[in-house]
Amino acid sequence: MERKERYNVAVLGATGAVGRAMLETLERRHFPVGELRLLASPRSAGQTLTFAGRTYTVQAAEESAFAGIDIALFSAGAGASQVYAPMAVRQGAVVVDNSSAFRLQDDVPLVVPEVNPHAALQHHGIIANPNCSTIQLVVALKPLVDWGIEHVTVATYQAVSGMGQKAIDALQAETASGDREGTTLFPVASQEQRYRMAFNVLPQCDVFTENGYTKEEMKLVNESRKILELPHLRVSPTAVRVPVVYGHSEAVAVRFAQPVRAEQVRQRLTGAPGVVVVDDPAHALYPHPLMAEGTGDTYVGRIRQDLGDDHSVLMFVVADNLLKGAAWNAVQIAELLIQHA
Ligand code: A2P
Protein backbone atom coordinates (compact mmCIF):
# COMPACT_ATOMS: atom_id res chain seq x y z
CA MET A 1 0.00 0.00 0.00
CA GLU A 2 1.18 3.48 -0.89
CA ARG A 3 2.11 5.72 2.04
CA LYS A 4 -0.33 8.63 2.46
CA GLU A 5 -1.29 11.19 5.03
CA ARG A 6 -4.92 10.04 4.94
CA TYR A 7 -6.46 6.83 3.64
CA ASN A 8 -9.78 6.37 1.90
CA VAL A 9 -11.84 3.89 3.89
CA ALA A 10 -15.00 1.95 3.06
CA VAL A 11 -17.05 0.14 5.69
CA LEU A 12 -19.24 -2.63 4.28
CA GLY A 13 -22.04 -3.48 6.72
CA ALA A 14 -21.87 0.02 8.21
CA THR A 15 -25.43 -0.15 9.54
CA GLY A 16 -24.83 -3.38 11.48
CA ALA A 17 -23.68 -3.90 15.05
CA VAL A 18 -20.02 -4.49 14.09
CA GLY A 19 -20.06 -1.89 11.30
CA ARG A 20 -21.13 0.80 13.74
CA ALA A 21 -18.44 -0.34 16.16
CA MET A 22 -15.92 -0.05 13.31
CA LEU A 23 -16.87 3.58 12.78
CA GLU A 24 -16.66 4.26 16.50
CA THR A 25 -13.23 2.58 16.66
CA LEU A 26 -11.82 4.45 13.65
CA GLU A 27 -12.81 7.65 15.43
CA ARG A 28 -11.57 6.60 18.88
CA ARG A 29 -8.19 5.43 17.57
CA HIS A 30 -7.81 8.57 15.41
CA PHE A 31 -7.34 6.53 12.26
CA PRO A 32 -6.25 8.92 9.48
CA VAL A 33 -9.45 8.66 7.43
CA GLY A 34 -9.60 10.63 4.19
CA GLU A 35 -12.75 9.84 2.24
CA LEU A 36 -15.21 7.57 4.06
CA ARG A 37 -17.76 5.42 2.25
CA LEU A 38 -20.50 3.67 4.20
CA LEU A 39 -21.93 0.64 2.43
CA ALA A 40 -24.75 -1.76 3.24
CA SER A 41 -27.54 -3.58 1.47
CA PRO A 42 -29.94 -1.64 -0.79
CA ARG A 43 -32.42 -1.69 2.15
CA SER A 44 -30.28 0.89 3.98
CA ALA A 45 -29.33 3.11 1.03
CA GLY A 46 -30.12 6.73 1.89
CA GLN A 47 -29.94 6.19 5.65
CA THR A 48 -27.50 8.54 7.43
CA LEU A 49 -24.81 7.84 10.02
CA THR A 50 -22.39 10.20 11.73
CA PHE A 51 -18.62 9.93 11.91
CA ALA A 52 -16.36 12.49 13.60
CA GLY A 53 -19.21 15.00 13.75
CA ARG A 54 -20.11 14.70 10.06
CA THR A 55 -23.16 13.08 8.53
CA TYR A 56 -22.66 10.42 5.86
CA THR A 57 -25.25 8.79 3.62
CA VAL A 58 -25.20 5.00 3.37
CA GLN A 59 -24.86 3.64 -0.17
CA ALA A 60 -25.80 0.24 -1.55
CA ALA A 61 -22.68 -1.88 -2.04
CA GLU A 62 -21.58 -2.34 -5.65
CA GLU A 63 -18.24 -2.65 -7.45
CA SER A 64 -17.95 1.05 -8.28
CA ALA A 65 -18.33 1.95 -4.59
CA PHE A 66 -14.78 0.66 -4.01
CA ALA A 67 -13.10 2.88 -6.62
CA GLY A 68 -10.33 4.92 -4.97
CA ILE A 69 -10.64 3.08 -1.64
CA ASP A 70 -7.39 2.14 0.15
CA ILE A 71 -8.81 0.05 3.00
CA ALA A 72 -12.17 -1.69 3.06
CA LEU A 73 -13.43 -2.98 6.40
CA PHE A 74 -16.03 -5.71 5.82
CA SER A 75 -18.64 -6.93 8.26
CA ALA A 76 -21.70 -7.92 6.27
CA GLY A 77 -21.52 -11.71 6.56
CA ALA A 78 -19.68 -14.37 4.57
CA GLY A 79 -22.03 -14.20 1.57
CA ALA A 80 -21.48 -10.49 1.04
CA SER A 81 -17.72 -10.92 1.55
CA GLN A 82 -17.56 -13.59 -1.15
CA VAL A 83 -19.27 -11.21 -3.56
CA TYR A 84 -17.62 -7.89 -2.70
CA ALA A 85 -14.08 -8.75 -1.55
CA PRO A 86 -12.86 -9.69 -5.06
CA MET A 87 -14.47 -6.49 -6.40
CA ALA A 88 -12.77 -4.31 -3.78
CA VAL A 89 -9.40 -5.99 -4.40
CA ARG A 90 -9.81 -5.48 -8.17
CA GLN A 91 -10.32 -1.79 -7.46
CA GLY A 92 -7.03 -1.69 -5.51
CA ALA A 93 -8.31 -1.81 -1.94
CA VAL A 94 -6.98 -4.03 0.84
CA VAL A 95 -9.92 -5.79 2.50
CA VAL A 96 -9.95 -6.52 6.24
CA ASP A 97 -12.75 -9.07 6.37
CA ASN A 98 -14.60 -9.87 9.58
CA SER A 99 -16.54 -12.79 8.10
CA SER A 100 -15.56 -16.45 8.06
CA ALA A 101 -15.39 -16.50 4.24
CA PHE A 102 -11.60 -16.55 3.82
CA ARG A 103 -10.21 -17.23 7.30
CA LEU A 104 -8.83 -20.70 6.64
CA GLN A 105 -7.56 -20.04 3.11
CA ASP A 106 -3.77 -20.58 2.95
CA ASP A 107 -3.16 -17.36 1.03
CA VAL A 108 -5.19 -15.22 3.45
CA PRO A 109 -3.52 -14.12 6.70
CA LEU A 110 -5.65 -14.47 9.84
CA VAL A 111 -4.41 -11.78 12.16
CA VAL A 112 -4.52 -10.70 15.79
CA PRO A 113 -2.03 -7.82 16.00
CA GLU A 114 -0.80 -8.75 19.51
CA VAL A 115 -0.18 -12.33 18.38
CA ASN A 116 0.94 -12.60 14.72
CA PRO A 117 1.40 -9.09 13.28
CA HIS A 118 4.01 -10.40 10.82
CA ALA A 119 1.29 -12.38 8.99
CA ALA A 120 -0.61 -9.21 8.03
CA LEU A 121 2.17 -8.09 5.72
CA GLN A 122 1.95 -11.25 3.61
CA HIS A 123 -1.52 -10.54 2.25
CA HIS A 124 -2.71 -10.74 -1.35
CA GLY A 125 -5.44 -8.16 -0.95
CA ILE A 126 -7.50 -9.81 1.80
CA ILE A 127 -6.69 -10.10 5.51
CA ALA A 128 -9.14 -12.03 7.66
CA ASN A 129 -10.23 -10.87 11.09
CA PRO A 130 -10.70 -13.95 13.29
CA ASN A 131 -13.84 -15.08 15.07
CA CYS A 132 -14.57 -13.06 18.21
CA SER A 133 -14.18 -15.88 20.74
CA THR A 134 -10.90 -16.97 19.12
CA ILE A 135 -9.36 -13.49 19.27
CA GLN A 136 -9.61 -13.11 23.05
CA LEU A 137 -8.47 -16.71 23.57
CA VAL A 138 -5.27 -16.33 21.55
CA VAL A 139 -4.46 -12.93 23.09
CA ALA A 140 -4.41 -14.71 26.48
CA LEU A 141 -2.57 -17.82 25.22
CA LYS A 142 0.18 -16.19 23.15
CA PRO A 143 2.35 -15.09 26.13
CA LEU A 144 2.29 -18.72 27.40
CA VAL A 145 3.18 -20.48 24.14
CA ASP A 146 6.88 -20.99 24.83
CA TRP A 147 6.08 -23.24 27.82
CA GLY A 148 4.65 -25.68 25.26
CA ILE A 149 0.85 -25.61 25.21
CA GLU A 150 -0.47 -29.14 24.71
CA HIS A 151 -4.19 -28.84 25.23
CA VAL A 152 -6.71 -26.02 25.66
CA THR A 153 -10.17 -26.74 27.05
CA VAL A 154 -12.52 -23.79 26.65
CA ALA A 155 -16.16 -23.15 27.49
CA THR A 156 -17.54 -19.85 26.22
CA TYR A 157 -20.30 -17.63 27.58
CA GLN A 158 -21.14 -15.56 24.50
CA ALA A 159 -23.11 -12.34 24.21
CA VAL A 160 -26.00 -12.07 21.77
CA SER A 161 -24.49 -9.04 19.98
CA GLY A 162 -22.29 -11.57 18.18
CA MET A 163 -25.43 -12.49 16.24
CA GLY A 164 -26.05 -8.92 15.07
CA GLN A 165 -28.37 -6.06 15.88
CA LYS A 166 -31.56 -8.11 15.44
CA ALA A 167 -30.48 -10.51 18.19
CA ILE A 168 -29.77 -7.60 20.57
CA ASP A 169 -33.25 -6.22 19.88
CA ALA A 170 -34.81 -9.66 20.36
CA LEU A 171 -33.12 -10.25 23.74
CA GLN A 172 -34.12 -6.79 24.94
CA ALA A 173 -37.74 -7.39 23.91
CA GLU A 174 -37.83 -10.80 25.63
CA THR A 175 -36.27 -9.44 28.80
CA ALA A 176 -38.67 -6.47 28.93
CA SER A 177 -41.67 -8.77 28.49
CA GLY A 178 -40.55 -10.79 31.52
CA ASP A 179 -42.17 -13.93 30.10
CA ARG A 180 -40.35 -17.16 30.77
CA GLU A 181 -42.45 -19.11 28.30
CA GLY A 182 -44.22 -18.52 25.03
CA THR A 183 -43.08 -17.69 21.55
CA THR A 184 -39.57 -16.46 21.41
CA LEU A 185 -38.20 -13.91 19.00
CA PHE A 186 -34.72 -15.29 19.29
CA PRO A 187 -33.04 -16.97 16.32
CA VAL A 188 -30.63 -19.66 17.62
CA ALA A 189 -28.99 -19.83 14.22
CA SER A 190 -30.26 -20.11 10.68
CA GLN A 191 -32.40 -23.07 11.68
CA GLU A 192 -36.08 -23.59 12.35
CA GLN A 193 -35.69 -24.22 16.06
CA ARG A 194 -36.08 -21.17 18.27
CA TYR A 195 -35.60 -20.91 22.02
CA ARG A 196 -36.15 -18.18 24.54
CA MET A 197 -32.82 -16.46 25.25
CA ALA A 198 -33.82 -14.25 28.18
CA PHE A 199 -33.41 -16.10 31.51
CA ASN A 200 -31.79 -18.98 29.66
CA VAL A 201 -28.46 -20.43 28.47
CA LEU A 202 -28.12 -22.21 25.12
CA PRO A 203 -25.25 -24.57 24.26
CA GLN A 204 -25.39 -23.61 20.58
CA CYS A 205 -23.55 -20.81 18.78
CA ASP A 206 -24.04 -21.00 15.00
CA VAL A 207 -25.10 -24.23 13.28
CA PHE A 208 -24.00 -27.79 14.05
CA THR A 209 -21.45 -29.49 11.83
CA GLU A 210 -21.31 -33.22 11.04
CA ASN A 211 -18.99 -34.06 13.95
CA GLY A 212 -21.47 -32.83 16.58
CA TYR A 213 -19.58 -29.60 17.24
CA THR A 214 -20.98 -26.23 16.19
CA LYS A 215 -19.30 -24.01 13.62
CA GLU A 216 -18.34 -21.61 16.40
CA GLU A 217 -16.62 -24.45 18.27
CA MET A 218 -14.72 -25.53 15.16
CA LYS A 219 -13.63 -21.91 14.62
CA LEU A 220 -12.06 -21.96 18.08
CA VAL A 221 -10.10 -25.08 17.07
CA ASN A 222 -9.04 -24.20 13.54
CA GLU A 223 -8.50 -20.47 13.88
CA SER A 224 -6.47 -20.80 17.13
CA ARG A 225 -4.18 -23.31 15.41
CA LYS A 226 -3.64 -21.02 12.43
CA ILE A 227 -3.04 -17.80 14.41
CA LEU A 228 -0.75 -19.40 17.02
CA GLU A 229 1.01 -21.37 14.25
CA LEU A 230 0.46 -24.57 16.23
CA PRO A 231 -1.21 -26.82 13.65
CA HIS A 232 -1.53 -29.79 16.02
CA LEU A 233 -2.77 -27.92 19.12
CA ARG A 234 -5.51 -29.85 20.92
CA VAL A 235 -8.51 -27.61 21.56
CA SER A 236 -11.68 -28.94 23.26
CA PRO A 237 -14.39 -26.27 22.87
CA THR A 238 -17.95 -25.82 24.14
CA ALA A 239 -19.58 -22.60 22.88
CA VAL A 240 -22.58 -21.33 24.83
CA ARG A 241 -24.87 -18.33 24.25
CA VAL A 242 -25.91 -16.42 27.38
CA PRO A 243 -28.34 -13.51 27.84
CA VAL A 244 -25.60 -10.87 27.89
CA VAL A 245 -25.65 -8.06 25.31
CA TYR A 246 -21.93 -7.19 24.99
CA GLY A 247 -18.86 -9.18 26.04
CA HIS A 248 -17.82 -12.80 25.67
CA SER A 249 -16.42 -14.74 28.63
CA GLU A 250 -14.40 -17.94 28.50
CA ALA A 251 -13.46 -20.50 31.14
CA VAL A 252 -10.12 -21.79 29.88
CA ALA A 253 -7.93 -24.67 31.06
CA VAL A 254 -4.43 -24.78 29.58
CA ARG A 255 -2.26 -27.89 29.84
CA PHE A 256 1.46 -27.39 29.30
CA ALA A 257 4.22 -29.81 28.33
CA GLN A 258 5.93 -29.07 31.67
CA PRO A 259 4.86 -28.09 35.20
CA VAL A 260 3.72 -24.43 35.22
CA ARG A 261 2.48 -22.60 38.32
CA ALA A 262 -0.51 -20.27 38.33
CA GLU A 263 1.75 -17.52 39.67
CA GLN A 264 4.03 -17.86 36.62
CA VAL A 265 1.01 -17.47 34.32
CA ARG A 266 -0.19 -14.43 36.29
CA GLN A 267 3.25 -12.82 35.94
CA ARG A 268 3.53 -13.55 32.23
CA LEU A 269 0.09 -12.15 31.49
CA THR A 270 0.59 -9.01 33.58
CA GLY A 271 1.60 -6.34 31.10
CA ALA A 272 1.34 -8.66 28.07
CA PRO A 273 0.14 -6.87 24.91
CA GLY A 274 -3.59 -6.26 24.98
CA VAL A 275 -4.06 -8.07 28.32
CA VAL A 276 -5.33 -6.64 31.60
CA VAL A 277 -5.00 -8.98 34.57
CA VAL A 278 -7.77 -8.51 37.14
CA ASP A 279 -7.22 -11.23 39.69
CA ASP A 280 -7.77 -10.42 43.34
CA PRO A 281 -10.21 -12.96 44.80
CA ALA A 282 -9.83 -11.55 48.32
CA HIS A 283 -11.56 -8.39 47.08
CA ALA A 284 -13.88 -10.20 44.65
CA LEU A 285 -12.03 -8.70 41.70
CA TYR A 286 -12.17 -10.68 38.48
CA PRO A 287 -13.16 -10.01 34.86
CA HIS A 288 -16.80 -9.94 33.76
CA PRO A 289 -18.53 -8.66 30.60
CA LEU A 290 -19.59 -5.28 31.95
CA MET A 291 -15.96 -4.63 32.91
CA ALA A 292 -14.77 -5.26 29.36
CA GLU A 293 -17.64 -3.48 27.57
CA GLY A 294 -16.47 -0.52 25.51
CA THR A 295 -12.77 -1.44 25.72
CA GLY A 296 -10.27 -3.03 23.34
CA ASP A 297 -8.54 -5.07 26.05
CA THR A 298 -8.71 -8.73 26.98
CA TYR A 299 -9.28 -9.18 30.72
CA VAL A 300 -7.89 -12.26 32.49
CA GLY A 301 -8.50 -13.38 36.06
CA ARG A 302 -9.36 -16.37 38.28
CA ILE A 303 -5.89 -17.68 37.40
CA ARG A 304 -5.44 -20.86 39.44
CA GLN A 305 -3.79 -24.24 39.42
CA ASP A 306 -5.72 -27.27 38.29
CA LEU A 307 -6.35 -29.18 41.49
CA GLY A 308 -5.06 -32.49 40.20
CA ASP A 309 -2.45 -31.49 37.62
CA ASP A 310 0.68 -29.37 38.05
CA HIS A 311 0.90 -29.01 34.24
CA SER A 312 -2.49 -27.24 34.02
CA VAL A 313 -3.68 -23.75 34.86
CA LEU A 314 -7.26 -22.42 34.69
CA MET A 315 -8.32 -18.85 33.94
CA PHE A 316 -11.33 -16.70 33.02
CA VAL A 317 -10.95 -14.52 29.91
CA VAL A 318 -13.32 -11.69 28.95
CA ALA A 319 -13.39 -9.16 26.09
CA ASP A 320 -15.90 -6.95 24.30
CA ASN A 321 -16.87 -9.15 21.34
CA LEU A 322 -17.82 -6.22 19.10
CA LEU A 323 -14.58 -4.34 19.85
CA LYS A 324 -11.55 -6.59 20.48
CA GLY A 325 -13.57 -9.48 19.06
CA ALA A 326 -14.31 -7.63 15.82
CA ALA A 327 -14.10 -3.89 15.09
CA TRP A 328 -11.12 -2.98 17.29
CA ASN A 329 -9.04 -5.88 15.98
CA ALA A 330 -9.95 -4.95 12.38
CA VAL A 331 -8.88 -1.34 12.87
CA GLN A 332 -5.65 -2.52 14.56
CA ILE A 333 -4.97 -4.59 11.41
CA ALA A 334 -5.58 -1.50 9.26
CA GLU A 335 -3.10 0.37 11.47
CA LEU A 336 -0.48 -2.34 10.89
CA LEU A 337 -0.98 -1.86 7.15
CA ILE A 338 -0.44 1.88 7.24
CA GLN A 339 2.50 1.61 9.65
CA HIS A 340 4.25 -0.53 7.03
CA ALA A 341 3.07 1.47 3.99
P1 A2P B 1 -28.54 -3.71 6.08
O1 A2P B 1 -28.61 -2.96 7.37
O2 A2P B 1 -28.86 -2.85 4.90
O3 A2P B 1 -29.25 -5.03 6.10
P2 A2P B 1 -25.82 -7.18 11.58
O4 A2P B 1 -24.76 -8.24 11.69
O5 A2P B 1 -25.85 -6.26 12.76
O6 A2P B 1 -27.17 -7.77 11.26
O7 A2P B 1 -25.42 -6.26 10.32
C1 A2P B 1 -25.15 -6.78 9.06
C2 A2P B 1 -24.67 -5.65 8.15
O8 A2P B 1 -24.35 -6.20 6.87
C3 A2P B 1 -25.71 -4.59 7.89
O9 A2P B 1 -25.06 -3.35 7.70
C4 A2P B 1 -26.34 -5.09 6.60
O10 A2P B 1 -26.96 -4.07 5.85
C5 A2P B 1 -25.14 -5.55 5.88
N1 A2P B 1 -25.44 -6.54 4.82
C6 A2P B 1 -26.04 -7.74 4.96
N2 A2P B 1 -26.14 -8.37 3.78
C7 A2P B 1 -25.59 -7.55 2.86
C8 A2P B 1 -25.39 -7.62 1.46
N3 A2P B 1 -25.77 -8.68 0.75
N4 A2P B 1 -24.80 -6.57 0.83
C9 A2P B 1 -24.41 -5.49 1.53
N5 A2P B 1 -24.57 -5.37 2.86
C10 A2P B 1 -25.16 -6.37 3.53
Side-chain angles (χ1 to χ4, degrees), residues 118-174:
H118 52 276
L121 306 178
Q122 287 148 19
H123 71 82
H124 298 96
I126 302 174
I127 301 175
N129 205 41
N131 172 254
C132 44
S133 38
T134 305
I135 292 178
Q136 65 186 72
L137 179 65
V138 297
V139 167
L141 291 178
K142 172 67 180 177
L144 316 178
V145 159
D146 65 356
W147 286 325
I149 298 178
E150 282 188 339
H151 187 187
V152 177
T153 306
V154 52
T156 70
Y157 306 73
Q158 300 190 210
V160 300
S161 53
M163 299 176 72
Q165 190 58 47
K166 286 195 190 86
I168 299 175
D169 297 343
L171 174 62
Q172 277 166 345
E174 283 186 9

Side-chain angles (χ1 to χ4, degrees), residues 157-163 240-249 289 321:
Y157 306 73
Q158 300 190 210
V160 300
S161 53
M163 299 176 72
V240 180
R241 191 75 62 189
V242 295
V244 166
V245 179
Y246 302 108
H248 288 356
S249 306
N321 57 304

Side-chain angles (χ1 to χ4, degrees), residues 12-18 40-41 43-44 61 75-76 80 84 163-166:
L12 176 68
T15 52
V18 173
S41 79
R43 294 181 290 276
S44 306
S75 192
Y84 296 109
M163 299 176 72
Q165 190 58 47
K166 286 195 190 86

Side-chain angles (χ1 to χ4, degrees), residues 217-247:
E217 289 163 346
M218 293 315 296
K219 287 173 188 173
L220 278 158
V221 177
N222 295 320
E223 295 184 21
S224 299
R225 289 175 171 173
K226 179 168 174 177
I227 300 161
L228 293 169
E229 296 167 5
L230 297 172
H232 306 295
L233 180 68
R234 274 187 74 198
V235 181
S236 303
T238 305
V240 180
R241 191 75 62 189
V242 295
V244 166
V245 179
Y246 302 108

Side-chain angles (χ1 to χ4, degrees), residues 298-320:
T298 296
Y299 292 77
V300 185
R302 299 295 322 278
I303 301 168
R304 62 208 191 278
Q305 200 80 42
D306 186 300
L307 290 174
D309 182 0
D310 66 357
H311 286 232
S312 293
V313 173
L314 314 187
M315 57 189 178
F316 200 66
V317 179
V318 182
D320 186 320

